């Protein structure tokens, strides 16, 4: 059993966030009182300001900042929207309430804040993430899509009404939604020695049925395609707080490879955020080279698959090692294989043969 | 086309033939256009008649279907009633029953050119429906004469079907014709025409009753009439060979038109009561020679050579008196053939005819018949053109006439044309009309000083209106020439060209602005591009004047726009800051964990006042 070393991490993060919000509030308040126009300084998210940091192995924002000032009439509206969001997030976090992107868009109307459409409110949420360098999940704002987790992990809720209540995530075979309460929960302890992130819900269920969590002493996470931030955050916490290595299984195509990369080192879209990456995560497969090695049935790549390969070849993270090599092999094969391809050799082939082989292989990356 | 009509043309073809040849040009190409053109001709005649007598016009126009159930094109009764001076009953048959009767040969600004159009409309009506024209006229305020007439196309003479005289009380003229028309297609143009005519004639009251019985009434907006145009002589630069030829034959020295009126005049001057033989007439004339007028002397001279009496004179038409070849040529209606008679130089009447035909000296012709030409200028011109000043204009050959016309164009020492013949509407009435019609948020008008092109004086007046009741459908241009709306062929017009060349964004006008431009060109001769007289050609002098007028008005509009823009912006700022600052304060107060809201009033005030940041 691994016990968490640092106490009450979720609580610390909450306090840090509330303090930042209060600072922003005080600054605006004082400006108004003095007859000065308050403003927000927002790190610029323009393409020219997104750079790849090799040291921390993720995309980050450069030093350019944009100022949103209430003095500028054309920015007054979006300034007010941002101030409102800070105010609303402050309420959410203090009262331990959760919201979704869509819910934020609708909630604004009660405060005479007029968003044209949800993309506009989504953008303001990203602005606030940049101002506070915190992901929206810390603001208790979640996307609609959910992914799941299963395995021997004990958590302790911090959401109101459940404070202190503990729960083991291996009690329910369908797995547990990675939602607001799980995201804000403290990770207490686990017997697992490994986290397996898998791209597809179907295989997640298969893994549970095949008792992969027991056979491999693993916590299984369904990323449901490209992993949502709350999922990436959970993976990171399992890695950093619980000290568990993370491995990733995705489809044998260029998108699968990139799902693994985003878990490992983030996306350009979230360059303003930290703590969403697992730099030591390992991509188990399915590699392009596995397609030949395991004689997997394949389907031909589409035009957009191929275009995607060329795009990724320009990404600094794909310039060396296995990442680079697999892209090249994919491009050579011009064919792809899904995780389900292993079914050709029996439903349990993937858990009985492929997974152990790859885990063994991964020890040497 | 009409400008170049001369007697010669008409002596060779019958008026109905002429009508058929020219119906397209005159605007009678199809039932739609014909109905519209007829409306125009009668309304414009009515307005012109009132203008000349300084009577505030009161015009009633009505179009009624003969059989409303029928489908278009069908027969319509078109009636135009005015409160003008009316026409003496004795002139009515000729005025409405013959082609080419009219008094508009002088040079002044008038809506129509020759008064020909109304006759064309009557003729068109008669040809398409075989119905007579009805004319009611009261010219003395006492008696009202009603004529029902057809036109004898072959003889170019009126056939009066009915003539009644009743008691009348007000002067005025009512003309009613039946014609084939298509109101379903012409209706919108006719309504536009009435609307726009009312705009450019704000001193008129115009009522239009359409075939459905709907009435469009445009009340009088101003009570002052603009100064009426005066008749002036032509400017030498505005003259071509054909006009000179017409001026020469059109003088007092021409061979008089020998009609019933002239015969009456001859009889009167000779105090003749009964019909005499040609010989007796000549004897009588010789006794009174010094007392009788020049035209009568000429008629007597013709009678002497042809040896005919008055009855004979009525049956012929003098075609030519060729002094050089000493022959007189005439057309005998009875025999339908041409005759030539030799002129004996020994006859005492030869000199009379010769001087009549040869006319004035060039010097006298120039000073008498042209504006702003004095004896000094005339002599200088003769020297320039290499003509003897005492050269008789009637003796000029064709080549000499061409040379003369050419020299008149080229001689640069003539004074600029006299604009007194022009009658622009004036800034105040134009402005009042625009205010009443469009109720705009901003309007400006400008009348330019008179200018001239090729010897024709012209004046441009223009108005601009923005916002208010004007719908934001983009720029709308109302074009007028000599107080006539121009509705067709907008695309190729010089005014449109100038408007389209204007960079409106420079004047702070964007998108589809609620903008109206009213352009009025007054000239003794509008340089129409086509005979349809709906679009004005881009003469450089005219283009320059239009451009100047438009730029001046556009600049005024731009000043208004920036004032308006600044006011709008300040208002918008004030609204925005009043709305958002209290919200920001509310959010910040809770965020900062304070109880009391900050004092943000100062910031709202500042927000409203600061200049827009670029």
């Amino acid at each position: 059993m691994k016990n968490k070393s640092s106490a009450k991490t979720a609580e610390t993060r909450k306090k840090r966030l509330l303090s930042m919000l209060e600072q922003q509030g005080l600054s605006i308040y004082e400006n108004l009182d003095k007859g000065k126009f308050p403003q927000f300084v927002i790190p610029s998210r323009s393409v020219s300001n997104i750079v790849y940091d090799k040291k921390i192995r993720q995309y980050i924002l450069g030093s350019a900042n944009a100022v949103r000032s209430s003095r500028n009439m054309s920015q007054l509206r979006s300034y007010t929207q941002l101030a409102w969001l800070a105010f609303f997030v402050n309420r959410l976090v203090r009262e331990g309430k959760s919201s979704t992107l869509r819910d934020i868009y609708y909630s604004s109307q009660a405060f005479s804040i007029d968003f044209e459409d949800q993309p506009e409110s989504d953008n303001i949420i990203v602005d606030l993430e940049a101002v506070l360098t915190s992901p929206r999940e810390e603001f208790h704002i979640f996307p609609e899509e959910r992914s799941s987790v299963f395995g021997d992990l004990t958590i302790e809720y911090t959401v109101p009404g459940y404070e202190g209540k503990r729960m083991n995530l291996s009690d329910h075979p369908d797995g547990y939604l990675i939602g607001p309460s799980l995201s804000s929960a403290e990770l207490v302890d686990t017997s697992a020695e490994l986290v397996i992130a898998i791209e597809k819900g179907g295989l997640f269920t298969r893994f549970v049925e095949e008792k992969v969590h027991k056979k491999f002493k693993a916590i299984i996470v369904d990323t449901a395609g490209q992993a949502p931030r709350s999922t990436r955050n959970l993976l990171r916490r399992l890695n950093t707080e619980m000290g568990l290595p993370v491995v990733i299984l995705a489809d044998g195509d260029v998108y699968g490879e990139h799902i693994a990369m985003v878990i490992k080192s983030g996306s350009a879209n979230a360059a303003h955020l930290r703590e969403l990456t697992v730099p030591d995560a390992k991509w188990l497969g399915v590699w392009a080279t596995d397609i030949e090695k395991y004689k997997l049935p394949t389907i031909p790549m589409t035009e957009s698959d191929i275009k995607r390969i060329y795009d990724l070849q320009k990404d600094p993270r794909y310039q060396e090692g296995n990442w680079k090599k697999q892209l090249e092999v994919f491009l050579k094969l011009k064919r792809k294989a899904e995780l389900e391809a292993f079914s050709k050799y029996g439903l349990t082939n993937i858990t009985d043969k492929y997974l152990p082989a790859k885990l063994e292989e991964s020890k040497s990356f | 086309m009409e400008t170049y009509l001369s007697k010669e043309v008409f002596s060779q073809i019958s008026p109905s033939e002429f009508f058929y040849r020219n119906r397209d040009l005159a605007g009678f190409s199809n039932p739609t256009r014909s109905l519209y053109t007829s409306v125009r001709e009668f309304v414009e005649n009515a307005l012109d008649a009132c203008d000349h007598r300084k009577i505030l016009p009161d015009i009633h126009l009505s179009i009624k279907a003969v059989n409303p159930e029928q489908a278009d094109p069908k027969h319509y009764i078109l009636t135009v009633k005015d409160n003008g001076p009316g026409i003496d009953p004795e002139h009515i048959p000729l005025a409405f029953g013959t082609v080419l009767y009219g008094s508009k040969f002088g040079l002044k600004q008038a809506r129509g050119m020759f008064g020909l159009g109304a006759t064309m409309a009557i003729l068109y009506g008669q040809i398409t429906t075989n119905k007579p024209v009805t004319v009611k006229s009261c010219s003395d305020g006492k008696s009202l004469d009603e004529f029902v007439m057809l036109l004898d196309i072959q003889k170019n003479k009126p056939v009066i079907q009915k003539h009644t005289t009743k008691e009348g009380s007000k002067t005025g003229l009512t003309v009613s014709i039946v014609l084939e028309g298509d109101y379903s297609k012409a209706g919108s143009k006719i309504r536009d025409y009435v609307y726009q005519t009312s705009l450019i004639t704000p001193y008129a009251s115009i009522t239009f009753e359409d075939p459905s019985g709907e009435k469009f009434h445009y009340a009088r907006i101003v009570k002052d009439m603009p100064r009426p145009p005066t008749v002036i002589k032509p400017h030498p630069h505005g003259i071509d060979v054909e006009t000179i030829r017409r001026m020469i034959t059109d003088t007092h020295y021409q061979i008089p038109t020998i009609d019933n009126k002239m015969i009456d005049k001859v009889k009167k001057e000779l105090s003749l009561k009964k019909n005499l033989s040609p010989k007796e007439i000549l004897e009588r004339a010789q006794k009174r020679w010094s007392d009788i007028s020049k035209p009568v002397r000429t008629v007597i001279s013709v009678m002497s050579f042809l040896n005919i009496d008055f009855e004979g004179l009525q049956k012929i038409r003098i075609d030519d008196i060729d002094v050089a070849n000493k022959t007189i040529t005439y057309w005998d209606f009875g025999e339908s053939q041409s005759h030539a008679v030799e002129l004996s130089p020994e006859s005492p009447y030869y000199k009379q005819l010769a001087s009549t035909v040869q006319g004035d000296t060039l010097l006298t012709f120039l000073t008498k018949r042209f504006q702003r030409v004095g004896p000094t200028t005339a002599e200088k011109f003769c020297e320039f053109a290499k003509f003897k000043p005492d050269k008789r204009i009637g003796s000029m050959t064709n080549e000499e006439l061409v040379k003369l016309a050419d020299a008149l164009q080229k001689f640069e020492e003539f004074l600029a044309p006299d604009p007194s013949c022009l009658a622009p509407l004036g800034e105040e009435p134009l402005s009042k009309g625009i205010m009443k019609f469009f109720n705009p948020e901003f309007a400006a008008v400008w009348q330019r000083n008179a200018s001239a092109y090729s010897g024709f004086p012209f004046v441009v007046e223009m108005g601009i209106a923005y916002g208010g009741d004007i719908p934001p459908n983009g720029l709308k241009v109302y074009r007028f020439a000599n107080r006539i709306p121009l509705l067709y062929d907008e695309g190729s017009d010089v005014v449109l060209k100038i408007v389209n060349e204007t960079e409106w964004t420079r004047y702070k006008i964007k998108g589809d602005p609620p903008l109206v431009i009213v352009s009025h060109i007054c000239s003794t001769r509008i340089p129409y591009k086509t005979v349809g007289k709906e679009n004005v050609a881009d003469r450089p002098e005219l283009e320059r004047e239009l451009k100047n007028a438009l730029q001046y008005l556009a600049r005024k509009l731009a000043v208004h726009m920036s004032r308006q823009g600044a006011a709008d912006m300040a208002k918008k700022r004030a609204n925005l800051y009043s709305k958002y600052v209290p919200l920001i304060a509310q959010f910040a107060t809770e965020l900062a964990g304070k109880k009391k809201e900050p004092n943000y009033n100062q910031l709202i005030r500042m927000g409203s006042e600061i200049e827009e940041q670029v």
Side-chain angles (χ1 to χ4, degrees):
Chain A
M1 291 289 264
K2 286 189 180 178
N3 270 306
K4 240 183 69 143
S5 49
S6 59
K8 307 275 178 191
T9 315
E11 191 59 30
T12 317
R13 289 206 317 273
K14 179 179 161 184
K15 278 184 181 152
R16 176 184 148 268
L17 180 67
L18 289 173
S19 154
M20 283 194 294
L21 287 167
E22 188 182 3
Q23 282 311 308
Q24 292 288 345
L26 280 169
S27 161
I28 301 170
Y29 189 95
E30 280 163 21
N31 272 308
L32 288 175
D33 225 18
K34 287 180 195 156
K36 286 185 181 165
F37 289 98
Q39 61 185 36
F40 283 112
V41 176
I42 308 171
S44 166
R45 295 195 308 279
S46 73
V47 178
S48 60
N49 197 41
I50 296 179
V51 289
Y52 184 70
D53 187 326
K54 284 190 175 169
K55 217 160 123 195
I56 62 168
R57 293 183 288 178
Q58 78 160 85
Y59 276 110
I60 59 163
L61 294 180
S63 54
N65 284 325
V67 170
R68 182 153 319 154
S69 172
S70 59
R71 189 177 198 276
N72 187 329
M73 193 176 81
S74 63
Q75 294 180 354
L76 181 61
R77 182 164 158 271
S78 63
Y79 177 90
T80 312
Q81 290 170 342
L82 191 47
W84 168 78
L85 186 68
F87 153 91
F88 193 73
V89 162
N90 187 50
R91 278 194 180 177
L92 284 176
V93 175
R94 267 183 207 286
E95 295 170 21
K97 297 285 194 299
S98 295
S99 182
T100 63
L101 294 173
R102 189 145 193 82
D103 180 55
I104 290 293
Y105 168 58
Y106 286 118
S107 302
S108 64
Q109 293 163 359
F111 296 88
S112 313
I113 297 299
D114 37 0
F115 286 112
E116 296 263 329
D117 46 24
Q118 197 191 322
E120 190 181 19
S121 72
D122 288 355
N123 252 321
I124 292 291
I125 292 168
V126 182
D127 284 342
L128 189 65
E129 286 182 329
V131 169
L132 303 176
T133 43
S134 307
R136 61 183 176 230
E137 286 76 11
E138 288 202 13
F139 307 159
H140 293 212
I141 300 171
F142 297 89
E144 305 290 334
E145 79 259 27
R146 299 282 167 83
S147 60
S148 319
V149 57
F150 179 86
D152 177 27
L153 175 68
T154 304
I155 56 155
E156 184 181 311
Y157 290 113
T158 62
V159 290
Y162 295 83
E163 294 100 331
K165 190 177 177 194
R166 293 194 174 194
M167 165 90 166
N168 189 282
L169 300 188
S170 59
D171 290 346
H172 182 61
D174 288 347
Y176 296 79
L177 277 184
I178 305 174
S181 28
L182 208 152
S183 295
S184 61
E186 301 288 354
L187 308 182
V188 183
D189 67 355
T190 177
S191 64
E193 291 172 358
L194 176 70
V195 178
I196 301 172
I198 189 156
E199 181 187 342
K200 282 182 168 152
L203 280 160
F204 171 81
T205 309
R206 176 84 44 78
F207 276 32
V208 175
E209 287 164 0
E210 293 301 315
K211 298 187 169 48
V212 168
H213 56 288
K214 286 199 171 140
K215 288 177 189 161
F216 298 93
K217 291 194 173 177
I219 292 170
I220 310 163
V221 173
D222 168 24
T223 67
Q226 192 60 266
R229 289 192 195 165
S230 49
T231 306
R232 282 151 61 192
N233 186 245
L234 178 67
L235 289 170
R236 180 185 173 87
R237 290 178 65 199
L238 288 169
N239 178 251
T240 55
E241 293 176 22
M242 308 308 282
L244 301 179
V246 175
V247 297
I248 305 150
L249 268 180
D251 280 339
D253 60 22
V254 62
Y255 295 100
E257 182 171 353
H258 196 59
I259 284 171
M261 179 60 89
V262 167
I263 291 171
K264 191 175 161 68
S265 63
S267 64
N269 283 340
H272 58 291
L273 299 172
R274 304 291 157 84
E275 315 217 331
L276 287 180
T277 60
V278 188
D280 294 323
K282 284 174 180 170
W283 174 37
L284 284 192
V286 176
W287 298 350
T289 48
D290 290 344
I291 293 176
E292 289 185 308
K293 189 173 171 187
Y294 293 92
K295 297 191 171 52
L296 296 177
T298 58
I299 50 172
M301 284 188 184
T302 63
E303 292 262 335
S304 71
D305 291 336
I306 293 165
K307 185 178 173 293
R308 185 68 181 148
I309 296 175
Y310 287 124
D311 286 347
L312 290 184
Q313 282 183 330
K314 293 173 200 148
D315 188 313
R317 297 171 292 180
Y318 287 90
Q319 299 309 314
E320 53 188 26
N322 191 41
W323 298 98
K324 183 185 182 202
K325 181 186 167 193
Q326 296 303 331
L327 275 189
E328 283 165 358
V329 178
F330 274 127
L331 198 55
K332 198 183 86 195
L333 290 177
K334 292 203 168 56
R335 298 190 73 82
K336 57 187 181 181
E338 305 201 9
L339 282 166
E340 287 84 347
F342 290 98
S343 310
K344 185 187 174 188
Y345 305 108
L347 289 177
T348 59
N349 181 274
I350 186 167
T351 50
D352 293 350
K353 299 273 164 49
Y354 183 68
L355 187 57
K358 291 301 283 192
L359 281 172
E360 191 56 38
E361 192 182 349
S362 74
K363 284 175 185 162
S364 61
F365 320 152
Chain B
M1 186 66 197
E2 284 162 342
T3 317
Y4 302 108
L5 291 180
S6 63
K7 277 206 167 84
E8 286 87 335
V9 175
F10 272 88
S11 61
Q12 282 154 21
I13 59 168
S14 76
S16 70
E17 206 180 334
F18 176 80
F19 175 80
Y20 271 117
R21 284 191 194 178
N22 293 287
R23 50 191 267 153
D24 282 12
L25 306 184
F28 292 89
S29 46
N30 57 57
T32 307
R33 194 74 193 261
S34 300
L35 185 58
Y36 164 73
T37 306
S38 301
V39 166
R40 278 189 60 159
E41 296 296 349
F42 288 124
V43 169
E44 280 156 22
N45 273 3
L47 288 170
D48 273 342
C50 292
D51 277 3
H52 297 161
R53 294 290 182 87
K54 299 204 90 175
I55 296 167
L56 286 170
D58 209 338
I59 311 288
H60 291 264
L61 161 69
S62 93
I63 300 174
K64 290 273 158 280
V66 172
N67 176 7
E69 305 299 313
Q70 213 179 320
D72 272 316
K74 60 188 171 199
H75 293 184
Y76 285 96
I77 304 164
L78 166 64
T79 308
V80 176
K81 183 181 172 211
D82 68 44
N83 62 335
I87 297 181
D88 287 343
E90 60 196 276
H91 292 315
I92 289 175
L94 284 180
F96 292 96
T98 59
V99 172
L100 259 195
Y101 183 95
S103 59
K104 291 189 187 169
F105 283 91
L107 254 192
K108 69 170 176 186
Q109 179 196 322
R111 291 180 178 85
M113 257 324 229
F114 288 100
L116 183 64
T119 322
M120 290 292 245
I122 292 167
L123 197 51
Y124 170 82
Q126 185 177 320
I127 287 168
T128 53
T129 68
N130 201 29
K131 293 277 178 3
V133 54
T134 304
V135 180
K136 289 182 205 167
S137 169
C138 175
S139 59
D140 57 4
K142 290 170 198 157
S143 58
L144 178 75
D145 284 88
E146 179 173 340
F147 287 88
V148 178
M149 301 181 292
L150 279 170
L151 192 78
D152 182 334
I153 292 168
Q154 254 73 49
K155 290 185 185 152
N156 190 21
K157 276 185 179 168
V159 180
I160 298 166
Q161 295 189 329
K162 202 174 112 190
H163 175 203
T164 55
T165 306
K166 287 187 288 189
E167 208 173 294
S169 56
K170 282 185 202 153
T171 66
L173 187 72
T174 306
V175 183
S176 191
I177 63 167
V178 184
L179 77 168
E180 189 187 54
D182 187 338
Y183 188 81
S184 63
K185 287 189 187 140
S188 71
K189 273 277 191 271
I190 292 173
R191 288 190 295 271
D192 277 356
Y193 169 76
V194 174
Y195 173 82
Q196 294 195 24
T197 301
S198 307
L199 170 61
I200 204 67
T201 325
Y203 55 91
S205 154
I206 301 179
T207 308
F208 168 42
E209 191 176 345
D210 77 1
S212 71
E214 192 180 348
K215 275 190 182 172
F216 301 86
H217 177 65
Y218 299 96
R220 186 169 290 123
I221 297 167
V222 295
K223 292 226 161 60
D224 296 323
M225 284 186 82
R227 184 181 54 77
T230 51
V231 181
I232 57 153
K233 298 165 197 164
H235 187 276
H237 282 162
I239 288 298
D240 52 32
V241 184
E242 210 46 49
T243 319
I244 291 185
R245 210 189 299 268
R246 215 178 72 216
M247 284 168 79
I248 290 170
T249 54
D250 205 30
T251 61
H252 298 294
Y253 305 95
Q254 76 178 115
I255 308 159
T257 313
I258 304 171
D259 53 13
N260 292 340
K261 210 175 143 195
M262 177 54 78
I263 290 169
D264 287 347
K265 189 175 161 74
V266 175
K267 282 180 177 171
K268 201 178 156 199
E269 289 194 21
L270 296 182
S271 308
L272 292 176
K273 295 277 181 321
K274 52 180 181 173
N275 262 346
L276 297 176
S277 69
K279 202 184 163 194
E280 287 167 318
I281 294 167
L282 292 180
E283 279 167 8
R284 179 73 67 98
Q286 265 161 20
K287 280 182 198 160
R288 296 170 172 246
W289 196 254
S290 57
D291 295 334
I292 56 181
S293 64
K294 257 185 181 169
V296 172
R297 284 181 190 178
T298 309
V299 174
I300 301 292
S301 306
V302 167
M303 290 171 84
S304 87
F305 283 112
L306 302 188
N307 193 24
I308 50 173
D309 58 8
F310 291 123
E311 206 181 320
L313 206 55
Q314 276 174 307
K315 289 180 185 159
I316 63 152
R317 184 187 63 217
I318 304 296
D319 282 342
D320 192 24
I321 296 172
D322 187 344
V323 177
N325 292 316
K326 302 185 182 62
T327 51
I328 178 166
T329 317
Y330 68 93
W331 175 265
D332 189 315
F333 288 119
E335 300 171 20
S336 281
Q337 67 176 60
S338 192
H339 293 279
V341 172
E342 203 178 320
L343 296 173
S344 163
E346 278 80 53
S347 161
Y349 298 107
Y350 176 76
K351 206 181 156 195
Q352 178 63 43
L353 278 187
S355 80
T356 297
V357 173
Q358 289 188 339
D360 276 328
T361 62
L362 182 56
L363 198 70
T364 316
F365 178 69
L366 289 171
T367 52
K368 263 190 176 171
R369 300 301 305 276
F370 290 96
Q371 52 165 287
R372 314 190 86 169
V373 180
T376 321
T377 314
E379 269 176 40
K380 268 191 195 163
F381 170 76
C382 290
E383 200 178 313
F384 167 81
K386 300 193 177 69
F387 280 110
K388 284 181 185 163
D390 57 356
K391 172 88 180 167
R392 294 254 166 200
I393 51 153
S395 68
M396 282 192 175
T397 62
N398 248 340
E399 289 73 32
E400 285 174 320
L401 283 179
V402 171
K403 199 178 134 196
L404 174 65
D406 202 38
L408 284 172
Q409 289 284 342
K410 285 181 181 153
F411 188 61
E412 283 174 2
E413 288 177 51
F414 293 122
L415 294 171
D418 174 9
S420 70
C421 54
L422 299 178
L425 184 58
E427 290 183 351
E428 204 192 325
L430 182 61
S431 170
K432 280 186 175 165
I434 287 173
M435 294 310 287
K436 177 83 179 174
F437 268 70
F438 305 114
N439 188 27
E441 146 198 318
F442 167 83
V445 295
W446 200 27
Q447 184 185 315
R448 301 273 307 161
N449 287 329
S451 182
Y453 78 93
S454 327
F456 297 103
F458 69 90
V459 166
V460 166
E461 43 186 6
M462 205 181 267
I464 200 165
Y466 182 89
D469 290 352
I470 302 169
N473 299 334
L475 205 156
K476 169 93 182 124
V477 180
Y478 292 94
R479 301 175 295 132
F480 299 94
N482 288 352
R483 297 189 203 165
I484 297 175
L486 305 180
L487 300 180
Y488 284 95
D489 300 331
E490 189 175 61
S492 50
D493 188 273
V494 62
V495 180
L496 253 290
K497 182 184 162 205
I498 299 294
V499 169
N500 289 338
E501 280 173 4
T502 304
E503 275 181 56
W504 287 101
T505 47
R506 275 178 50 197
Y507 300 104
K508 303 187 166 40
I509 298 295
K510 279 175 280 187
D512 292 324
L515 182 60
V516 163
I517 289 167
V518 178
S519 158
H520 185 202
I521 304 168
C522 300
S523 179
T524 47
R525 185 155 86 185
I526 303 286
Y528 289 111
K529 231 176 193 173
T530 59
V531 284
K533 292 188 178 175
E534 291 284 359
N535 54 353
V536 180
D538 41 359
R539 295 282 187 138
E541 300 89 344
L542 186 58
E543 201 171 319
R544 192 183 58 230
E545 284 298 302
L546 287 166
K547 205 175 261 176
N548 285 341
L550 187 61
Q551 277 175 0
Y552 171 85
L553 293 173
R555 278 196 297 271
K556 287 206 144 187
L557 176 60
V559 170
H560 166 80
M561 293 303 285
S562 40
R563 255 186 227 140
Q564 195 62 33
D568 283 352
M569 189 56 78
K571 205 172 164 189
K572 199 174 161 195
R573 289 196 74 95
N575 283 343
L576 280 177
Y577 280 90
S578 311
K579 177 184 174 187
Y580 286 120
V581 170
L583 288 173
I584 297 170
Q586 176 199 337
F587 304 147
T589 306
E590 188 172 318
L591 265 181
K594 304 259 186 186
K595 289 276 179 295
K596 191 174 149 278
E597 288 201 346
N599 179 15
Y600 51 77
N601 288 328
Q602 192 190 346
L603 204 69
I604 292 181
R605 205 171 51 245
M606 285 167 64
S608 313
E609 285 164 4
I610 51 173
E611 292 298 311
E612 181 60 10
Q613 303 195 324
V614 182

